[in-house]
Amino acid sequence: SYLLGAPSCLRLPVAARQSINRALLSVKNPNLTYAVLIAGHKLVQFVRPRKTALWAEDLLVIINLINSSSSFRASEGSWTPLCLPLYSPDANVFAYIGFLGKYGAPDVCLVFISSRDDEFFNLSTSKHMVATQLQESSALGQIQYALRKPSFSIEEVESGGYGVARDVHHFVYVSTAFNQLVAPCFAPPYTDKRLQQQLLRSYQEAHWRLHKRNRSERMQFVVSNSHSMLVWVDRDLELFVTLGPLTSRGLALAACSRLIKWIKREEQTLFITPQMW
């Protein structure tokens, strides 16, 4: 997420997302700027005013903040000033941070952002209201289950009839329409932490080449001793696909096309649509 500048979303069934949306939208507070639900390092949902964007970079600041200190988990609710550089680079906002351990979900966190410094108690009440709704609708349990469950695998794409497992080892798909990304869990040959780190650096380098050197280039195919990588850029996506070192450009293109079809089919479970008050 941090390397490519887009948050990673928790995969959830559509019905669970709808329950989460209803719970967050039930908060009625004119001094509330954003409401963000996070599980671990993954984005679950956020709500914003109709005329105020919440940029991906600011979301990453929020996700990094709540995971930066164990003291947030130990408290029923925390209140801290926060700078969101794309929302307001010259002024702080205030964040209510409330983990939902009391409701059986210690890794799920609700964050409320306000421009006022006197909203702690109002937002604390709102947190309990939202948490209760999530618990009663079973959405909180589904979030916990999805967080414990490994991310989807290349084999899942294969089982859907899209025939990519033979060629594709890993991929990262960035939806530029949603400013969010998804990636499968690591699988052979990337089960070793050192190899995973090397792969992530390869994605970072490919992202740098894409955005810094020649923005008009829509496709790149790079081959090394350990792997080949195809970068596919379209109007609403960036796709980084890692394949075997002997995979041809033609096979790589065909695998990418099949991957995109599967992701489009699963889009409602993989990505979130921001809700607005």
Side-chain angles (χ1 to χ4, degrees), residues 137-179:
S137 69
S138 300
L140 196 56
Q142 289 179 288
I143 293 171
Q144 282 287 95
Y145 175 76
L147 193 58
R148 291 192 301 267
K149 180 183 175 183
S151 181
F152 66 91
S153 64
I154 295 293
E155 284 70 24
E156 181 180 343
V157 184
E158 179 79 13
S159 67
Y162 288 85
V164 300
R166 183 185 63 183
D167 305 310
V168 176
H169 293 165
H170 193 265
F171 70 88
V172 175
Y173 179 103
V174 181
S175 169
T176 53
F178 294 109
N179 283 321

Side-chain angles (χ1 to χ4, degrees), residues 73 98-108 127:
R73 294 175 181 269
F99 277 86
L100 306 187
K102 179 181 176 180
Y103 298 87
D107 296 316
V108 180
K127 170 212 165 181

Side-chain angles (χ1 to χ4, degrees), residues 7 46 56 175-180 236 267 271-274:
F46 69 89
S175 169
T176 53
F178 294 109
N179 283 321
Q180 300 160 24
D236 59 354
E267 193 171 69
F271 299 105
I272 66 170
T273 301

